[in-house]
Amino acid sequence: GESVGLHLPTLSVQEGDNSIINCAYSNSASDYFIWYKQESGKGPQFIIDIRSNMDKRQGQRVTVLLNKTVKHLSLQIAATQPGDSAVYFCAENNAGNMLTFGGGTRLMVKP
Amino acid sequence: KAGVTQTPRYLIKTRGQQVTLSCSPISGHRSVSWYQQTPGQGLQFLFEYFSETQRNKGNFPGRFSGRQFSNSRSEMNVSTLELGDSALYLCASSSTSQQGIYGYTFGSGTRLTVV
């Protein structure tokens, strides 16, 4: 799979606002997608996943939207909190148990 | 239940040496995958083991190898270390249903520094 990793965009939001993090995935055959949150010094933490037979899935304060037509994935975080500050990665699965990761987006929450 | 456990958390090695990292998956997960994370290349897939067999392999040189034991614990080995091998090495375990993979959970990683 491809690795998109050199550029790390930053999203800065005010505490209490909603955040939207976007991801363009690479393989139209991918059928499973995961969003991870990674804090400094820690491994990626599972947030939410979605399979290709769905276009929306909701969790606690988070929603993932999948647009297969344009190969686009988004993560919406409601009422963003300081504890949400981290790097967020989308990952796609199209073969076996291997994930291909996007480059990540840094979310900074201003108090 | 316990998560994915990686040991050690930190390692400092000298160029030319070899290193072995360990990963204990979530109980019941039979698939263990390894990733390398660097600031420049991001998260890159190394290989995946299932039932003691390597099922998938990423685009890394043969210096990177791994194995899995009958209890699903896995080790990865890097021989003849180079400075560029300095990275966070992450292990993930997962399971499979009729729908596909699920429960893809990462450990906290082993931070390897090569000097």
Side-chain angles (χ1 to χ4, degrees):
Chain A
E2 300 169 18
S3 175
V4 180
L6 297 182
H7 175 59
L8 194 63
T10 298
L11 174 66
S12 186
V13 301
Q14 204 69 39
E15 181 179 357
D17 287 351
N18 296 334
S19 302
I20 300 177
I21 301 172
N22 296 303
C23 175
Y25 63 92
S26 59
N27 193 328
S28 57
S30 294
D31 57 5
Y32 180 58
F33 305 87
I34 310 174
W35 278 100
Y36 288 96
K37 170 187 179 184
Q38 188 174 27
E39 297 173 285
S40 181
K42 298 183 179 180
Q45 175 190 351
F46 175 95
I47 301 172
I48 191 168
D49 60 359
I50 188 168
R51 299 196 186 270
S52 59
N53 60 351
M54 303 174 70
D55 52 23
K56 180 179 179 179
R57 190 160 189 234
Q58 288 183 292
Q60 186 177 13
R61 281 202 308 120
V62 294
T63 300
V64 55
L65 298 178
L66 174 62
N67 185 330
K68 295 182 287 293
T69 303
V70 295
K71 294 191 290 185
H72 184 268
L73 202 63
S74 70
L75 176 70
Q76 300 177 4
I77 304 174
T80 313
Q81 303 168 359
D84 295 326
S85 294
V87 177
Y88 289 80
F89 293 96
C90 66
E92 61 185 292
N93 169 251
N94 52 62
N97 278 26
M98 179 182 80
L99 296 181
T100 301
F101 282 82
T105 297
R106 184 179 305 281
L107 176 64
M108 296 178 61
V109 182
K110 296 177 288 186
Chain B
K1 56 183 175 181
V4 178
T5 303
Q6 290 189 247
T7 56
R9 286 299 310 277
Y10 303 95
L11 267 178
I12 299 176
K13 290 286 187 178
T14 304
R15 268 182 303 175
Q17 287 187 313
Q18 70 149 14
V19 67
T20 299
L21 313 180
S22 179
C23 173
S24 293
I26 289 173
S27 178
H29 284 188
R30 295 168 64 190
S31 170
V32 175
S33 300
W34 289 89
Y35 291 79
Q36 181 196 65
Q37 185 175 28
T38 61
Q41 297 298 316
L43 277 147
Q44 294 190 296
F45 174 80
L46 280 156
F47 31 65
E48 182 234 353
Y49 285 86
F50 181 86
S51 291
E52 302 177 64
T53 302
Q54 187 182 88
R55 282 204 303 195
N56 293 288
K57 189 177 189 305
N59 189 25
F60 278 82
R63 299 185 297 107
F64 292 82
S65 63
R67 60 178 177 167
Q68 187 180 35
F69 303 93
S70 58
N71 62 356
S72 294
R73 190 178 71 85
S74 177
E75 290 180 346
M76 70 162 280
N77 184 276
V78 188
S79 62
T80 319
L81 284 164
E82 301 176 0
L83 295 179
D85 297 332
S86 294
L88 181 65
Y89 289 88
L90 292 159
C91 165
S93 75
S94 61
S95 193
T96 306
S97 70
Q98 284 186 327
Q99 288 186 302
I101 63 170
Y102 70 94
Y104 214 99
T105 305
F106 283 86
S108 295
T110 294
R111 171 73 62 185
L112 172 66
T113 303
V114 182
V115 298

